């Protein structure tokens, strides 16, 4: 399939995990991908891998929680590509921690990257997406749909992404921009490795959020992201799509 032929695509968190898988997938379908990440080396590796497979990609450094960095990144992409058709907000951080031990700095950083970063990218990209009648895919989590123990900041941030997506979707629907939310379950990425249970916690506390059979692979989630970003999903707007093997069922 070449569903993104001639389209300019911006993917945050493209330096590893789901962001890298999404960048590889959309580039394989003809997209011109800007691989955005605070991990500059990781973004460069993703862009290089895409080019090695005959695709078109560049690496762009950006801390999505920094408004000035977001402005510079989007402006540079628009200068280079001339337009923007798809924004995929995948960048995120998190982990398990006893709530009483979470510092204000830790809480603020998780919300800054996961929620504020998604907002800033959407806000800055929307003028360009209005011109192309483009698409936004925001990445939340099953943790934004059902409670998870020992990750209050992460749940709060991802629940915020879900509702941010819905609010934007109804605001911009009549203006031609589709905005949907992807909610992965446990996926084998570097982020998953950071979710280690606090010492001394009984394993039963995590039984309700354990995968039903196995963890997902980044490529499996990237396939759903590609569908939502494509014209095949032209009548899907404001949706929250869980890709979790049944964890949230």
């Amino acid at each position: 399939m070449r569903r993104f032929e001639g389209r300019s695509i911006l993917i945050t968190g493209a330096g590893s995990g789901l962001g890298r898988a999404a960048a590889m997938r959309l580039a394989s379908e003809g997209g011109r991908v800007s691989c955005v990440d605070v991990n500059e080396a990781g973004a460069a590796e993703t862009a290089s891998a895409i080019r090695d497979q005959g695709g078109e990609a560049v690496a762009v450094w950006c801390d999505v929680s920094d408004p000035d960095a977001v402005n510079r990144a989007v402006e540079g992409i628009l200068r280079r590509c001339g337009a923007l058709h798809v924004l995929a907000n995948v960048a995120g951080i998190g982990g398990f921690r006893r709530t009483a031990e979470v510092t204000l700095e830790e809480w603020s950083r998780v919300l800054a990257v996961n929620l504020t970063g998604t907002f800033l990218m959407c806000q800055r990209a929307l003028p360009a997406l209005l011109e192309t009648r483009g698409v936004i895919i925001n990445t939340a989590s099953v943790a934004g749909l059902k409670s998870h123990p020992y990750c209050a900041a992460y749940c709060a941030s991802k629940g915020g992404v879900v509702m941010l997506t819905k609010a934007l979707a109804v605001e911009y629907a009549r203006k031609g921009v589709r905005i949907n939310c992807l909610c992965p379950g446990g996926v084998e990425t570097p982020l998953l490795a950071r979710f280690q249970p606090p010492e001394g916690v009984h394993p039963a506390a995590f039984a309700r959020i354990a995968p039903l059979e196995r963890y997902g692979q980044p490529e499996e989630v990237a396939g759903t992201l590609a569908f939502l970003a494509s014209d095949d999903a032209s009548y899907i707007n404001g949706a929250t799509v869980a890709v979790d093997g049944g964890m949230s069922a």
Side-chain angles (χ1 to χ4, degrees):
M1 293 185 289
R2 305 289 290 181
R3 294 180 293 186
F4 302 102
E5 194 77 55
R7 298 189 184 185
S8 169
I9 298 165
L10 190 168
I11 300 180
T12 71
S16 65
L18 175 55
R20 174 171 291 178
M24 299 289 291
R25 176 60 183 267
L26 271 64
S28 74
E29 294 195 33
R32 184 182 186 187
V33 181
S34 295
C35 303
V36 175
D37 206 301
V38 71
N39 176 3
E40 194 168 13
E45 289 175 8
T46 302
S48 178
I50 289 171
R51 292 192 297 269
D52 287 345
Q53 294 182 6
E56 188 172 358
V58 295
V60 179
W61 179 88
C62 181
D63 177 350
V64 296
S65 70
D66 181 345
D68 292 335
V70 168
N71 287 335
R72 288 193 299 271
V74 175
E75 287 171 4
I77 290 166
L78 290 174
R79 281 196 303 270
R80 185 181 305 109
C81 300
L84 183 64
H85 300 87
V86 176
L87 166 64
N89 286 305
V90 185
I93 60 173
F96 290 127
R97 188 167 172 81
R98 287 183 173 84
T99 302
E101 299 173 356
V102 175
T103 67
L104 180 58
E105 181 180 6
E106 291 169 336
W107 169 273
S108 299
R109 183 58 183 164
V110 171
L111 267 70
V113 174
N114 295 355
L115 180 54
T116 303
T118 298
F119 165 74
L120 291 173
M121 290 300 306
C122 289
Q123 185 184 54
R124 182 59 186 84
L126 270 165
L129 293 168
L130 285 166
E131 293 182 7
T132 60
R133 300 178 70 85
V135 179
I136 296 175
I137 308 298
N138 291 327
T139 306
S141 167
V142 170
L145 303 176
K146 60 184 292 187
S147 58
H148 284 31
Y150 303 103
C151 54
Y154 188 74
C155 285
S157 69
K158 293 303 189 178
V161 171
V162 170
M163 293 311 300
L164 170 65
T165 301
K166 291 180 178 293
L168 293 176
V170 296
E171 180 177 351
Y172 287 93
R174 290 183 175 85
K175 299 176 182 178
V177 178
R178 289 192 302 108
I179 307 170
N180 290 295
C181 189
L182 192 65
C183 291
V187 182
E188 289 188 356
T189 67
L191 178 62
L192 182 66
R194 300 182 193 132
F195 281 83
Q196 297 298 320
E199 187 176 349
V201 172
H202 196 284
F206 298 94
R208 65 186 301 275
I209 63 170
L212 294 188
E213 182 183 8
R214 62 175 175 83
Y215 288 114
Q217 296 300 310
E219 292 76 17
E220 292 176 298
V221 183
T224 304
L225 188 151
F227 165 70
L228 291 173
S230 76
D231 291 342
D232 289 338
S234 59
Y235 199 54
I236 300 178
N237 187 43
T240 302
V241 181
V243 186
D244 63 359
M247 286 174 64
S248 60

